[in-house]
Amino acid sequence: MSGKPKLYYFDGRGKMESIRWLLAAAGVEFEEEFLETREQYEKLLQGGSLLFQQVPMVEMDGMRMVQTRAILSYIAAKYNLYGKDLKERALIDMYVGGTDDLMGFILMFPFLSAEDKEKQRAFIVQKATSRYFPVYEKVLKDHGQDFLVGNNFSWADVHLLEAILMVEEKKSDVLSGFPQLQAFKARISRTPTIKKFLEPGSQRKPVPDDKYVETVRRVLRMYYDVKAN
């Protein structure tokens, strides 16, 4: 294994994108191997690299890690993005968990039919503005600090910014009723490592397109239709 972490996934967002975000936020350079054929995927399976027979998979520090949450937790802890004590870590876990729930509604969006996409778009915006964004708006307002936990930049901030930008892709003015989150978005986006990741030419992936969907379906042999929530 090389010195840089190596990411095994498709050339698109999916479950790997949050890992890319967190590594970038930590200022860690990484390499990627994109899965484009079923044969590549089966080679990983046969080699025993995929513990639960699924990607994402990350080679890092002499380990082959799977399970997205485990990978993210490791990166956050290694690069001091996981709070200073157990209480802060618990808060970070809670906020990341809530953000994960919201992002889960978006994850399968590219695989929906055109009709279901419109339903799901409305569903995502409704959930974001009624259940998730109000929580973070209140947290930021109540403690009056720049970051979600302990007034230090953490995994929770990275994850929330990623989610905000994803929801804005569905409705550009979704933060219109959330002044704290508007300020938070601007503030976190100015963090040097995040600013670099948001610039053109970075390893951040664009909105999934038809090519990405077809590649995932072919490699994973997804022959079924995904349904909206």
Side-chain angles (χ1 to χ4, degrees), residues 1 6 57-66 74:
M1 299 181 188
K6 188 171 183 179
M57 191 266 282
V58 174
E59 288 183 348
M60 184 176 182
D61 295 342
M63 298 183 290
R64 288 187 174 93
M65 294 187 288
V66 295
Y74 180 82

Side-chain angles (χ1 to χ4, degrees), residues 194-226:
I194 296 293
K195 183 179 179 181
K196 182 178 179 181
F197 190 60
L198 292 174
E199 291 173 351
S202 79
Q203 287 169 287
R204 184 186 179 210
K205 304 306 176 191
V207 176
D209 58 14
D210 291 342
K211 180 181 178 182
Y212 167 78
V213 170
E214 174 56 32
T215 300
V216 174
R217 287 188 181 276
R218 182 177 66 254
V219 173
L220 298 183
R221 293 180 175 169
M222 290 174 58
Y223 301 128
Y224 56 88
D225 292 328
V226 176

Side-chain angles (χ1 to χ4, degrees), residues 46-197:
Q46 293 162 6
S49 296
L50 305 182
L51 192 62
F52 299 105
Q53 301 180 25
Q54 61 192 25
V55 286
M57 191 266 282
V58 174
E59 288 183 348
M60 184 176 182
D61 295 342
M63 298 183 290
R64 288 187 174 93
M65 294 187 288
V66 295
Q67 292 295 331
T68 308
R69 187 60 181 262
I71 297 167
L72 288 165
S73 296
Y74 180 82
I75 295 168
K78 179 179 174 70
Y79 295 105
N80 299 315
L81 296 170
Y82 213 172
K84 69 179 186 297
D85 55 33
L86 283 175
K87 288 186 178 180
E88 288 192 359
R89 183 166 294 192
L91 288 172
I92 289 169
D93 282 339
M94 284 198 310
Y95 298 151
V96 166
T99 306
D100 262 345
D101 291 344
L102 173 58
M103 293 168 76
F105 300 135
I106 304 173
L107 185 64
M108 299 308 293
F109 185 86
F111 299 88
L112 299 173
S113 67
E115 180 181 357
D116 280 345
K117 279 182 179 179
E118 290 310 306
K119 295 177 183 177
Q120 188 72 353
R121 188 188 309 275
F123 179 84
I124 290 165
V125 171
Q126 189 273 326
K127 288 295 183 183
T129 55
S130 67
R131 177 181 293 183
Y132 298 101
F133 287 173
V135 171
Y136 304 117
E137 181 79 6
K138 186 176 188 302
V139 168
L140 292 166
K141 183 177 181 180
D142 286 353
H143 66 39
Q145 297 173 338
D146 288 344
F147 307 103
L148 285 173
V149 178
N151 205 25
N152 285 300
F153 183 53
S154 77
W155 175 19
D157 302 306
V158 179
H159 215 48
L160 179 55
L161 177 61
E162 181 188 1
I164 286 171
L165 296 181
M166 289 170 71
V167 178
E168 285 187 330
E169 290 169 350
K170 303 293 178 274
K171 189 174 189 293
S172 61
D173 64 347
V174 72
L175 290 186
S176 60
F178 301 97
Q180 296 292 333
L181 286 180
Q182 291 176 39
F184 172 87
K185 173 192 166 186
R187 188 164 57 245
I188 302 303
S189 296
R190 289 194 297 269
T191 303
T193 53
I194 296 293
K195 183 179 179 181
K196 182 178 179 181
F197 190 60

